[in-house]
Amino acid sequence: MSNADHPHQRRLADGRMQIDFQTEPARYRHWQLHIDGEVATLVMDVDEKAALFEGYDLKLNSYDLGVDIELADVIERLRFEHPQTRVVVLRSAKPRVFSAGANIRMLAGASHAHKVNFCKFTNETRNGIEDLSENSGLATICAINGTAAGGGYELALATDHIMLVDDGSAAVSLPELPLLGVLPGTGGLTRVSDKRKVRRDHADVFCTTEEGVKGKRAVEWRLVDDVVPGSKFDAAIAARAKEFAAKSRRTGAGPGIKLAALTRTFAPDGVEYGAVSVAFQRRERIATITLRGPAVPPPASADAMVALGAEFWPLKLARELDDAILHIRLNELDVAAIVFKSSGDPAQVLAYDQFLDANKDHWLAREIRLLWKRVLKRIDLTSRSLVTLIEPGSCFAGTLAELPFASDRSYMLAPSLPSPASGGGLGRGRDGDNKPPASIALADANFGAYPMSHGLTRLQCRFLANPADLDAAKAERGKMLDAETAQRLGLVTFALDDIDWDEEVRVFFEERASFSPDSLTGLEANLRFAGPETMESKIFARLTAWQNWIFQRSNAIGEEGALKRYGTGQKPVFDTRRV
Amino acid sequence: MSNADHPHQRRLADGRMQIDFQTEPARYRHWQLHIDGEVATLVMDVDEKAALFEGYDLKLNSYDLGVDIELADVIERLRFEHPQTRVVVLRSAKPRVFSAGANIRMLAGASHAHKVNFCKFTNETRNGIEDLSENSGLATICAINGTAAGGGYELALATDHIMLVDDGSAAVSLPELPLLGVLPGTGGLTRVSDKRKVRRDHADVFCTTEEGVKGKRAVEWRLVDDVVPGSKFDAAIAARAKEFAAKSRRTGAGPGIKLAALTRTFAPDGVEYGAVSVAFQRRERIATITLRGPAVPPPASADAMVALGAEFWPLKLARELDDAILHIRLNELDVAAIVFKSSGDPAQVLAYDQFLDANKDHWLAREIRLLWKRVLKRIDLTSRSLVTLIEPGSCFAGTLAELPFASDRSYMLAPSLPSPASGGGLGRGRDGDNKPPASIALADANFGAYPMSHGLTRLQCRFLANPADLDAAKAERGKMLDAETAQRLGLVTFALDDIDWDEEVRVFFEERASFSPDSLTGLEANLRFAGPETMESKIFARLTAWQNWIFQRSNAIGEEGALKRYGTGQKPVFDTRRV
């Protein structure tokens, strides 16, 4: 495969053919995690020779997607494997350098799609760090021992508390604009303005000053929380860690569970996991993700859940689904639509939701809910058309019912004969099929556990016009709702009988594949997020959309553009007309 | 000038050299306004031969910027010239067609900058229509007699109430995605999701269906409010108009004032208005806008204000400033930074603010405040670096103090000698200058009259970190604040003495002109809007940023792209990789 044909525009290092989002501590090249009782220390020590792609070195703790995949992994392990930790301190192993941010040569040579997906993933990881503090109570401290530039400072911004050494040269900076003609791509502007609430004129000066801000001014302008002389830095970090650990609300006593490696088999036309299958119809540009319901009832107790560990069905399913989505995003760029299907007993799915509700104060149940929240948010932000097909034998109930609600539209198969008057017998779905008729079921989880990035649940967002519709749906919790009822309640887009089903669904997919992929990306990014915005959703809307625009402009990516000319000694040449 | 060199990529029609935002009813080519007591009827009747640029005809009530400039003008005249109207009905003079939306051949041939600025202006006009209803009480009804496609339906969406004739073919549609591979560019998606609260899956179907939705489904899906048989359409419109007029809160009794033509003189290096001067330093890529304070005290009464009409200083200044901003936006694309300066007596400016406050229930005083609100919002959304230089003899007080707060940064000249102990004497500004030392003054108007598009005042946004800073500033209302005090209160970015002034300001401008214009556009669009988002700000952030991205993609604008191939009979060819 030539570089030009490669989906990422360049070759992966070490002969790899696709980006893998699974890793484990024994394989880390860039991070070290040290646990000392309640205090975890996460050390960034990027191996400059271990880049994801060919063609650049990761000097000065600069990073690429490979470094961030490890970071995302270690954050998950802090949640699940180390529930006793109450504070994590982020540090650098490099002298006088915290991090130089995203690697510029990587960016300059990356395809547009890779740049966009790279930024999206790094944003999700940093939002996950904030969720770790806000919802799991694990406080986060960033100790900056030197320069924290661009993405390096953006990583710091994702923590609760930023400490900067005061040695006359250590500084925080967002030099993307003056140096590269692009924006800080990982939430930097939004966190400066909305999280740290830096005054806008100070922010303007900061973001246009290549060398950044240091010392007292960095505190006065709210860019960092403490500046500490070098001789006292370690002691100050230890004191802050102790202070934050004491304030932490984290309650995860006892040992964690092991996040064992996922069982995966890649084939040319799909990926097979334990509870998830992915099938590619490449000619139609469709990826079908089938989720399998639980094979056994929920365990008898929280201890039994802990004993099951990563094999506990809701956890297993969430991890597999997350990996499948990331695989499609980064390695299967030609997929136009992701189709969600499911198979299993919806009553069993509801039983697991009830189990998680009943154990909601248990650290592991809470972490599993939070993981599902993040996976569902990742789906909301996936720039492919999302469709759920609700067919006989499916189990879109409770947590799994979030998938049709996360979808751009859903089709539900209605029995072709009138339903039996009593609910007792099996209905008929499609001809020759004796699976139970398609149903959908709601649970408490659909009414609060899984807010989208803009703060509303998917059903709140769906029923923005009329909160009474939300109440009507809520009243039906726990019931198996047939297609007619689901449509009446507004839970599905179309209920079709099997006379219309094949044709309607086929036409929909053909049509979707015929549209401009870019306009679909823009359409979906708008229609999926009716209602308010939060800092998190502003990062993906206002900031990311502008950044993607800049990433398409010749002032950045043209032969004379800033990103291409960086490091060549030649100045960029700009089209000076303002847009 | 060749087409390629022209800032808009094509020639203006009729040999014009620049786009003019000033017009008047006698010159309208596309709209007719009929007033019948409380009811105004605004008829869209686009003259297809009167396009703004060469190369296309405006068929089927399609529009270009020229049509929208007339619409913006007539909306202003409804406010100021017809205060007795309580409802306006928007109709089409074309049989079976309401409007085909933005002209596609115009879009396909327009420069990127023109497309972006065109969409921005049309968005501002539609936001102004909503403001007309919300804050001036003039109810708006759109009567759709046939097809309302794309921008045609988006115009309808800006009104309070949409009536669609039910004749088996009349329909509303947003066919941009299936037909052109772009997004509806004038708020359509956001108004569908956030104003009309159309369910997201219905919105997905609607926006991907070229022919749109008609009849009963259009009401069920909340796309329109009424569908009415053709035979009853006129009667139904009249009844609705009467009903809305009766409910209107508009209180503008008596005759309006005449919005006389602005006095303007264009010279090669500037534009001279009555109270505003614009000076271009083209080599430095700077436009300096100097605002002149009032020459006389405010009038003695509201009647005297009405008698002054368009010559009343705050109204005159707002209209001139608005025109200057639009002129720079559309005709002076190479300007990197807009510098605001002022000259006059700040006490007099405060006196006018007090006069407007004292008459806040008078329709004209209210309309002037609302005009200033819109002009200031237009400045917030202008993609040029904004700087205010506060020098001796300037009058950045009250309403005019919003300009430094709207700016990306501000510089204030501090006296080079310590201020006199008493406030009595004249201080000294720069050497040889005996103007009063620079001061800034706040008024009630800075604390509520002029919210930005995201709902916060500029000072609320500025002091997001600490509301106590807002209170501290509020306590200083009415006082002349020197540079030291202004800086202590956080009202200006830098207070400099005249030893540093020239060098600091010069370096700033040089630096600004050296940066990538695109990255500045993105930076400023992010840093200016800390805090919440509203439907209006979402239109400019989420929607517009994505649209601008799509407008740069070859899937839209490439030789095989959808926008270029529209109408050629050839299908577009897409890069199918999803980003």
Side-chain angles (χ1 to χ4, degrees), chain A residues 72-93:
Chain A
D73 186 77
V74 75
I75 297 294
E76 291 302 311
R77 290 180 199 275
L78 276 169
R79 292 174 174 276
F80 287 97
E81 300 191 348
H82 307 287
Q84 84 288 3
T85 54
R86 295 162 71 88
V87 62
V88 56
V89 179
L90 207 60
R91 305 194 66 165
S92 157

Side-chain angles (χ1 to χ4, degrees), chain B residues 398-422:
Chain B
T399 295
L400 298 196
E402 291 294 306
L403 291 165
F405 307 149
S407 294
D408 299 303
R409 54 174 96 171
S410 58
Y411 292 84
M412 187 163 181
L413 188 64
S416 48
L417 298 173
S419 313
S422 85

Side-chain angles (χ1 to χ4, degrees), chain A residues 27 64 71 87 115 146 180 187 276 281 288 300 317 357 399 424 439 462 507 539 547 550 574:
Chain A
R27 290 195 283 144
D64 64 6
L71 174 61
V87 62
K115 279 200 278 283
L180 306 171
V276 170
Q281 291 165 261
T288 301
L317 187 69
D357 286 341
T399 295
S439 65
R462 188 174 187 86
V507 166
I539 288 173
Q547 174 77 313
I550 292 164
F574 294 129

Side-chain angles (χ1 to χ4, degrees), chain B residues 23-29:
Chain B
T23 187
E24 58 186 350
R27 290 193 283 144
Y28 289 175
R29 302 289 294 267

